Structure formats: structure tokens, C-alpha cells
Amino acid sequence: MKHLDLTKDSTRKLFFSYLLPSISATLVTSIYILADSIMIGKGVGPDGIAALNIVLPLFTLFFGTGLLFGVGGSVLMSIANGSNNPLLGKQYFTTSVISVTFLSIFLLIIMQLAFEPILYFLGATNVTFTLASEYGRTLVAGAPVFMFSALLQAFIRNDKDPNLSMIGVVTGGITNIILDYIFIYIFHWGMFGGAIATVIGSSITCLILMVHFFKKTNQLKLVKHGFSMKRFGKVVTSGLASFLIEISNGVVTFLFNIQLVKYIGDIGITVYSIIANSSFIVMSLANGVAQASQPILAVNFGAGKNKRVDEVKHLGFITTTIIGTIIVALGALFPGVITGLFVHATDEILSLSIPAIRMYILAFLFMNLNIFISGYFQATMKPQYAMGINLLRGLILSSAFVLILPLFIGANGIWISMPIVEIISFTIAMVLNYRAKKV
């Protein structure tokens, strides 16, 4: 990757050079939870996967916080480098590392002290509390690892070493899968086994990513007086959209859990956990396309090469659309197969999961497009547009529709809420995209 010139080489060549490493890294990141879901669903049972789904918002909080500073700081670093100001880029890196260090310690302490109330708030019931607690306490202990994994992936990719980022994440993911099997099926450690496998896998990812700092080509260096509140504010503003993408996943999961317990019961959470884990995979593919585009977009934007920026945006938009269309088709045609990947598909579960998946699946096409256009806005210094889209789809509209629609059409209103949210958000994103061209 070091021989590539982001401001001169063919944009198509650059885009596809970054695409595979970026998608591989984001896809395998989703496997950390996906592997736990499959192993726990088969090894512990439906209550186990329901309990896991209750804890998932905590994982999205940790990983999302890492992305907040990783993507936010690395975008600003790339723009600074494109503007021939490498010292400023290093200052953004320093600010991001210091911020994540303090926040990881803070979240770790708070979560440990208030763990049980937090778990009940997230929707744990008498049936799921013990299982969720077994997984959740270990997950919370690994908070710093998850945060630094997200941070380092973003910065190392933007330092023109996406292959190392891919190797680190893939190795950690494979380790997680192997340890999941050993801990859950051989050692019979249940929920704890799944959680400790995830923490170990992420730890290995971080260790591999650290190799980058020993390379001669490394430009990620901590500098004296690198942290400032002004740069902290800029990093947060730049990265907030990425944080909202992750955290909105947790918010939606939380709201779905509450509504499903109310309208269907614990089996509803089991079925939604299948959809939520499928959503993690889809979102990781969309993030992969966005993150493949982001370094190229940011550097060329910083260099004032707007034609190249438009070319990369076009490539990313087409790629995202193709991926989303394939996924929607697979989900609509094979909902029973998808269900069977996660749990022993009883007639009761299938009777609920098949129509639920077919109702929900349309959301994935528009979710992909919303994630990509949000990443484009971030990379071209329009964080207010990116933040607006993700606030709208992840918090405002999703909360409104999932709470209101079931009042009129029952449980089906829960399943169709997200397709409606994503379509409305995409329409607004296109309006903002048109407006951005006129500015």
C-alpha cells in the first residue's frame, strides 16, 4: 500500500485496493458477536441468545466510542496530510489516543459499579438476567480492548496500511471462533466462555495492530502538547456520525427488546437477535465500503481535487447498492435458513422469524446507502450532515416508529418500523447530498 499515491493514482485502482482489506476488517469485527450468537444459540439455547442480545448495546457503546475518536481523528489527520501539514495530523492522533485512554477507564469503572441496574434497564428479565450477567461482566471488563481496537484500525488504515488492519482483525476473529467452540462446547463455560473468547480475540487484534508502530513507514506518532480541547472538539464533531451509527444500533436493540417483551415475550427477543446479528453483518459490509472510500476521499478533499472525490463517491455508491440488493434477495428467499444458522429452529420460532425477517429485510438496502453517504459527508468535512442523518435514523425516527406503530398494528409494527425509518432517512440524505453540491 505504501507505493500508492492517493492524489494521483487511478481512483478505481485505489478504491478496490482498499475495498477488500476494509470489508474484511469490518466483516470480521462483526464476527466477534456473530460467533458468540451462533455458538451460544446452539450451545446454551434460545434464552442464551436472548440474553446476549440484551447485552449487545454495551458492546456497541464501547466499539462506537473507539470509532468516534478513530474515524473522527483519522479523517482530520488525512485531511491535514493532504494539506501538507503532517504535524497537525500527529496532534489529532495524540488527542484521540489520550481521549480513548481516559474514557475507557471511566466507562470501565462506571459499568462495574452500576452493572445490575444497567442490565435491568436494558431489558433483562428473571429468565435472562443470570445469563446476561455472566456474559456482560466479562464484556465490560474488556471495554478498553474493544475501544482501542476500533481506534487503531481506523488510524492504521488511514496511515496507508489497511492490510495490517485486515490481518489483525481477521486473526482475532478466527481466534474468537476457535475459542468459542472450545470454551462453550468442550469446557462448557456457557455465556462466560463466549464473552472471554471475544475479549481474547480483540486483545490479539490489538497486539497485531501494534506492529504498525515498529515499521519504518509508520507516521502515527504521539507528540508533546498534542492534546488540546479545541482538537478534542473537532475530533468529536468529525467522528460523531460514526459513533451514532454504532450507538443507534444499541438504541434500536434496546427499544426492540422492550417492545418485544411487551407484545410477544422472550421468544420475540430470540427472533430479533437473529435479525440483529444479521444486521451486524450487513452494517459491517456497508462500513467496509465507507471506510475503503474514506482515506481516498479525505486526502483528495484536503488537496482540493473535487473531481477525484466525486469519482470515489460514485464507485462507493454503486458498490454499496449491489451489496445491499444481494443481501435483501437472500433474506427474502431464505429466512428459514438464516434462522437455522443461529438457533435450533423449532416450529414456534420459525412461525415468527420467517415473516419477521421478510418484513425487516428491506431496511438493509437503505441502511447500507445511509451509512455510505454518512461516511462521505464525514470525509468531506460536512459532519453536520452526517450527524443529522444518523441522529434521524438511529434515534429520532427509530424511537418514534418502534414505539408508535405497534399501538396501531400490533407486533408487525415493530418489524416494519426500520424499513420505513431507513427509506425516510435515505430520502433526506439525498436532499442533503444535492444541497452539498450547490454549496
Side-chain angles (χ1 to χ4, degrees), residues 1 4-6 36 51 76 82 88 111 148 152-153 192 205 207 229 241 306-307 314 322 330 334 394 398 403 425:
M1 283 295 174
L4 295 178
D5 189 328
L6 299 186
D36 286 358
L76 293 170
L88 180 59
M111 292 290 180
F148 272 99
L152 293 174
Q153 287 175 48
F192 168 75
T205 294
L207 289 173
M229 290 307 299
N306 295 329
K307 182 180 178 181
H314 183 68
I322 292 171
L330 290 174
F334 307 109
S398 58
L403 293 174
S425 300

Side-chain angles (χ1 to χ4, degrees), residues 333-373:
L333 292 172
F334 307 109
V337 174
I338 293 171
T339 303
L341 291 174
F342 293 92
V343 296
H344 295 293
T346 64
D347 291 339
E348 182 184 18
I349 291 175
L350 286 172
S351 67
L352 182 61
S353 70
I354 289 176
I357 290 172
R358 284 177 171 157
M359 282 185 275
Y360 194 102
I361 196 72
L362 183 61
F364 290 160
L365 173 59
F366 294 94
M367 178 182 75
N368 276 15
L369 293 169
N370 286 328
I371 289 172
F372 176 76
I373 198 69

Side-chain angles (χ1 to χ4, degrees), residues 10 17 33 44 74 83 126 139 203 206 217 219 238 321 327 372:
S10 161
S17 294
I33 297 299
V44 178
S74 63
S83 303
N126 292 333
L139 190 78
S203 299
C206 286
T217 51
Q219 297 298 312
S238 174
T321 302
I327 289 169
F372 176 76

Side-chain angles (χ1 to χ4, degrees), residues 102-120:
F102 280 97
L103 279 173
S104 65
I105 295 171
F106 174 77
L107 285 175
L108 181 61
I109 294 172
I110 294 298
M111 292 290 180
Q112 291 289 3
L113 292 177
F115 181 75
E116 290 191 10
I118 289 171
L119 213 57
Y120 280 117

Side-chain angles (χ1 to χ4, degrees), residues 77-151:
M77 180 189 73
S78 291
I79 291 173
N81 291 341
S83 303
N84 293 316
N85 193 349
L87 175 60
L88 180 59
K90 292 179 176 63
Q91 289 172 331
Y92 281 124
F93 174 65
T94 303
T95 294
S96 299
V97 170
I98 291 174
S99 300
V100 167
T101 299
F102 280 97
L103 279 173
S104 65
I105 295 171
F106 174 77
L107 285 175
L108 181 61
I109 294 172
I110 294 298
M111 292 290 180
Q112 291 289 3
L113 292 177
F115 181 75
E116 290 191 10
I118 289 171
L119 213 57
Y120 280 117
F121 175 76
L122 292 175
T125 65
N126 292 333
V127 174
T128 57
F129 178 83
T130 300
L131 293 172
S133 181
E134 283 182 34
Y135 190 96
R137 286 197 178 277
T138 305
L139 190 78
V140 167
V145 174
F146 302 135
M147 292 169 68
F148 272 99
S149 174
L151 174 85

